Amino acid sequence: MSDDLRARLRGKGYRLTPQRELVLRAVEKLRHATPDEVYAEVHADSSAVNISTVYRTLEVLEELGLVKHAHLTDRAPTYHAVDDHEHFHLVCRNCHGITSVDPTVIAAGTQRLRDEYGFEPDLGHLAVFGECAQCRAEREENTQS
Amino acid sequence: MSDDLRARLRGKGYRLTPQRELVLRAVEKLRHATPDEVYAEVHADSSAVNISTVYRTLEVLEELGLVKHAHLTDRAPTYHAVDDHEHFHLVCRNCHGITSVDPTVIAAGTQRLRDEYGFEPDLGHLAVFGECAQCRAEREENTQS
DNA sequence: TTCCATGCAAACACTTTGCACCGTG
DNA sequence: CACGGTGCAAAGTGTTTGCATGGAA
């Protein structure tokens, strides 16, 4: 487990450190987490990791392809582990709820982007903003103009 | 022209000011601009507008539906005028080039999001990250392993 | 023993806020 | 002339960097 991580790191001249392992485990555990949340999670395990190390580590892990980030809010980016099956996100502007969606749902469109624009989309990074079913329903109830 | 803006503002109890008009014109002229870029553009016309007023004004204009923002970089948001025909963006991770795409290209997928998830996507805010045709070609050239 | 990695603190980039004054309606 | 808007400066977030020390290989 940790040997795989070590091998990946070594492949690019990096070293395996306790901090790097802790950060990766935190991202895997939290599923979707901002750097701050990763920092908090790692701190919970007492053996503190500095916030700047969290940032530096997330950068390294992303370079290795072990984590990815997407912008699910107007503020901080959200990181998730890559070994989860690839997915993109629906983000509700109103309730801020997040729904993970399988890429096949928009496969027709992504294929056209490839065919017609030569563009290879990175779906793991994709966040589609809008309004979720529940918030639409609630809003329509209150809109009896 | 400016009367339409005045009317829209008044409808929500806001006032028409020179600053608000300048900011809106700047967004229309620049097409895709960060708050900083809007600030610079408005400053070019000498009659300075404070940076905090730029932020406050963009917020108001967005509330009125006259402008929209999308996250085309990891840093500042990008604003564009809404009277442009609606479009979403392809952003190349490598060269940072931006391509505007008509929503019909991904219509099949957005329809499925509506049908299967009840989710109403806001395409004006959508940014699809990935790699553009040119950068793919260049990379493949250099990858003769 | 060599470098890469870390902690710390300071610097940065971007955005928001409090308050006195200004100007639209 | 009332009340919303602006400028200014200061404070807030989120992120990055320089440098001395620490520790993996």
Side-chain angles (χ1 to χ4, degrees):
Chain A
M1 192 85 246
S2 145
D3 281 339
D4 175 54
L5 176 55
R6 163 178 270 119
R8 294 242 199 181
L9 285 164
R10 300 259 68 216
K12 294 229 181 184
Y14 295 124
R15 293 172 181 174
L16 175 63
T17 65
Q19 287 91 336
R20 286 178 173 164
E21 192 151 12
L22 283 169
V23 167
L24 179 55
R25 298 298 162 244
V27 171
E28 290 172 345
K29 178 177 174 190
L30 297 173
R31 307 305 296 267
H32 293 113
T34 61
D36 252 10
E37 291 165 344
V38 170
Y39 176 66
E41 171 67 23
V42 165
H43 254 241
D45 279 17
S46 76
S47 57
V49 175
N50 192 275
I51 183 68
S52 55
T53 299
V54 170
Y55 280 103
R56 287 190 277 230
T57 301
L58 288 172
E59 198 180 324
V60 168
L61 294 177
E62 187 151 32
E63 183 190 345
L64 297 181
L66 293 172
V67 305
K68 243 179 186 318
H69 80 274
H71 294 273
L72 305 187
T73 72
D74 280 351
R75 291 222 163 256
T78 304
Y79 285 82
H80 58 272
V82 165
D83 57 294
D84 291 357
H85 63 292
E86 185 168 56
H87 60 275
F88 66 93
H89 304 92
L90 304 181
V91 185
C92 179
R93 267 260 172 50
N94 189 243
C95 69
H96 302 106
I98 295 174
T99 309
S100 295
V101 179
D102 193 278
T104 56
V105 171
I106 54 165
T110 52
Q111 192 56 47
R112 286 191 64 184
L113 293 182
R114 270 187 287 265
D115 293 346
E116 296 170 29
Y117 293 83
F119 189 89
E120 183 60 45
D122 170 13
L123 296 180
H125 187 283
L126 183 64
V128 181
F129 286 76
E131 193 176 30
C132 72
Q134 202 177 338
C135 288
R136 284 175 77 187
E138 283 173 16
R139 190 168 48 71
E140 269 157 37
E141 255 174 44
N142 303 337
T143 308
Q144 26 222 15
S145 52
Chain B
M1 192 83 246
S2 145
D3 281 339
D4 175 55
L5 176 55
R6 161 177 271 119
R8 294 242 199 182
L9 286 164
R10 300 258 68 215
K12 294 232 181 183
Y14 296 124
R15 294 173 180 175
L16 176 63
T17 64
Q19 288 90 338
R20 285 178 175 165
E21 193 152 11
L22 283 169
V23 168
L24 179 55
R25 299 300 163 240
V27 172
E28 290 172 344
K29 178 177 175 191
L30 296 173
R31 309 302 299 265
H32 292 113
T34 61
D36 251 9
E37 291 164 343
V38 170
Y39 176 65
E41 171 67 21
V42 165
H43 254 243
D45 279 16
S46 76
S47 58
V49 174
N50 192 276
I51 183 70
S52 55
T53 298
V54 170
Y55 279 104
R56 288 189 277 227
T57 300
L58 288 171
E59 198 179 325
V60 168
L61 294 177
E62 187 152 30
E63 184 191 345
L64 297 181
L66 294 171
V67 305
K68 242 179 188 315
H69 79 275
H71 293 273
L72 305 187
T73 72
D74 279 352
R75 292 224 164 253
T78 303
Y79 285 82
H80 59 271
V82 164
D83 57 294
D84 292 357
H85 63 292
E86 185 167 54
H87 59 275
F88 66 94
H89 304 92
L90 304 181
V91 184
C92 178
R93 269 260 172 51
N94 189 243
C95 68
H96 302 106
I98 296 173
T99 308
S100 294
V101 178
D102 192 278
T104 56
V105 171
I106 53 165
T110 53
Q111 192 56 47
R112 286 191 64 184
L113 293 182
R114 270 187 286 264
D115 292 347
E116 296 170 28
Y117 294 82
F119 189 88
E120 182 60 46
D122 171 12
L123 296 181
H125 188 282
L126 182 64
V128 182
F129 286 76
E131 192 176 32
C132 72
Q134 200 177 340
C135 288
R136 284 175 77 187
E138 282 173 17
R139 191 167 50 70
E140 267 157 38
E141 255 174 42
N142 303 335
T143 308
Q144 30 222 9
S145 53

